[in-house]
Amino acid sequence: MNIAEKEAALVRLGQYLAGNSPELEAVKERAYLANGWFTPAFINQSIRNICQYYLDPEALQRWLGQYPAAALEREPQKVGIVVAGNIPLVGFHDWLCGFVSGHHVKMKLSSKDEVLMRHILEKMAEWYPEQAQQTEIMDMLKNCDAYIATGSNNSARYFNYYFSKYPHIIRHNRTSAAILTGRESAAELEALADDIMLYFGLGCRNVTKVMVPEAYDFEPLLNALRKYDYLADHHKYKNNYDYNLALFLLNSSHYLTNGSILLHEAASLFSPLSVLHYGYYKDIQQLKADMATEPDLQCLVGQQFTPFGQAQQPSLSDYADGVDTLAFLLEL
């Protein structure tokens, strides 16, 4: 396949995913049964974002136009990709880059997110049998020429040890934050609720901490977060909420709640599931400077940063950890 044919294949995939064929709907149901965190609403949200921001014909054309080397023939290398499983199809962008680069992609899928990605690869193989061997699903990744691995800080240490002698991209825990001024509109706060609560807050682009000015009134934010009150009916989420609430009560820790999420003042950017951390600032310029050097920050949301509601809508050029995955693959 040349680059134009690959682009057309990806557009076709987008059209398929945007449809509601009985086959695709059955796969979504299987994905939910395999992982209770992958609710139908969040699976559909992830697929809609992929169709709109990754597989849109104009978006693909603009993105690929930035990489003339993608159109050149090259000796295919074996690229091992270790995929995370925190949100539905979180490894799709890595596969997309591998597909476009022309390398042989060997994927180790997470047991938490196997159903959807496997189905996508099966459909591509059905439509383009000549490309079926370009991507393989593997239980173990051995004898590859390069690696891309995403995981926790702990697993990243192992990845660095095992893959250090090969070209690699190793990703570790990251999260996102928001800077509020207290002048946000109700619509902006409602959009921020999406950044916080989509996928139960499990993604690295989910906001897990908000920085607010002193004497900030949290009531409008708590009201905006009521948009996701229904998550309290999800037993896995509710178990986490009850557990964290019990910890705050036992430790006499101050907290705020609207009944479905807990707000707690803490230094860490990372918050437990069902908890949103907050912190106060005095000098917003100093805060911006501090955030610019924060190594654990994936995305910063605010009126002067990533717009409210768009943290979970990355474009093709919004690479995880800020490392250009396609450029890495094209340089192998």
Side-chain angles (χ1 to χ4, degrees):
M1 271 186 162
N2 60 35
I3 194 64
E5 291 169 331
K6 289 178 181 177
E7 187 178 332
L10 292 170
V11 170
R12 180 180 182 181
L13 176 61
Q15 292 170 343
Y16 170 75
L17 292 175
N20 57 353
S21 71
E23 181 183 16
L24 180 58
E25 293 305 310
V27 169
K28 293 177 185 178
E29 178 65 22
R30 290 209 318 272
Y32 173 50
L33 293 174
N35 183 349
W37 292 110
F38 288 8
T39 64
F42 288 157
I43 289 174
N44 287 330
Q45 179 72 47
S46 178
I47 290 176
R48 277 196 302 271
N49 287 349
I50 286 172
C51 293
Q52 183 174 352
Y53 300 108
Y54 290 174
L55 302 179
D56 173 74
E58 292 184 5
L60 277 168
Q61 191 172 44
R62 286 194 304 271
W63 179 58
L64 292 173
Q66 300 172 39
Y67 302 89
L72 304 177
E73 290 190 15
R74 61 183 48 79
E75 183 68 26
Q77 304 292 303
K78 288 180 287 186
V79 178
I81 300 179
V82 181
V83 182
N86 50 327
I87 66 175
L89 290 171
V90 69
F92 183 85
H93 190 272
D94 282 343
W95 169 79
L96 175 60
C97 291
F99 176 73
V100 167
S101 72
H103 294 304
H104 293 308
V105 176
K106 298 180 181 294
M107 299 186 76
K108 185 180 188 309
L109 299 178
S110 168
S111 59
K112 298 177 182 178
D113 186 20
E114 186 175 6
V115 177
L116 295 167
M117 195 69 224
R118 188 180 289 274
H119 177 67
I120 286 173
L121 296 178
E122 288 172 351
K123 292 306 292 186
M124 292 292 282
E126 174 188 323
W127 296 333
Y128 309 102
E130 72 281 5
Q131 293 293 121
Q133 298 306 311
Q134 185 186 349
T135 304
E136 296 180 80
I137 296 175
M138 313 290 290
D139 291 328
M140 295 185 67
L141 297 179
K142 291 184 176 180
N143 304 316
C144 293
D145 301 302
Y147 291 90
I148 299 172
T150 305
S152 66
N153 289 344
N154 189 48
S155 61
R157 286 194 289 270
Y158 287 99
F159 294 149
N160 275 309
Y161 175 78
Y162 287 113
F163 303 151
S164 60
K165 63 182 179 180
Y166 304 96
H168 61 265
I169 296 175
I170 307 297
R171 307 191 187 106
H172 57 81
N173 282 355
R174 285 208 176 198
T175 192
S176 299
I179 295 178
L180 305 182
T181 64
R183 297 187 295 274
E184 288 76 21
S185 67
E188 287 175 319
L189 291 178
E190 186 170 321
L192 175 61
D194 296 337
D195 299 327
I196 296 168
M197 301 299 286
L198 279 175
Y199 313 117
F200 297 100
L202 290 169
C204 66
R205 297 182 68 89
N206 280 110
V207 169
T208 54
K209 184 171 185 178
V210 292
M211 297 300 299
V212 299
E214 293 180 322
Y216 179 79
D217 179 11
F218 285 96
E219 194 64 29
L221 176 58
L222 285 167
N223 287 334
L225 287 164
R226 289 191 179 281
K227 176 180 181 180
Y228 287 92
D229 275 353
Y230 71 92
L231 293 188
D233 296 327
H234 189 278
H235 70 282
K236 287 176 175 285
Y237 181 86
K238 187 62 161 56
N239 288 343
N240 281 269
Y241 176 89
D242 290 343
Y243 173 78
N244 287 302
L245 177 59
L247 286 180
F248 292 150
L249 292 172
L250 286 170
N251 295 320
S252 298
S253 299
H254 177 69
Y255 68 91
L256 301 167
T257 186
N258 61 7
S260 58
I261 188 170
L262 298 154
L263 273 60
H264 177 61
E265 184 177 4
S268 175
L269 285 176
F270 295 91
S271 65
L273 188 68
S274 77
V275 178
L276 175 66
H277 282 171
Y278 65 85
Y280 293 102
Y281 67 84
K282 294 181 180 179
D283 184 342
I284 194 169
Q285 297 305 323
Q286 182 61 51
L287 175 63
K288 291 177 185 178
D290 293 342
M291 287 295 197
T293 60
E294 176 54 62
D296 294 327
L297 197 64
Q298 181 70 49
C299 181
L300 186 59
V301 174
Q303 292 175 333
Q304 299 177 31
F305 308 99
T306 299
F308 294 110
Q310 295 184 24
Q312 286 293 355
Q313 298 174 7
S315 72
L316 284 162
S317 298
D318 286 324
Y319 296 100
D321 290 16
V323 179
D324 191 323
T325 313
L326 184 52
F328 166 78
L329 292 170
L330 294 176
E331 291 168 3
L332 292 176

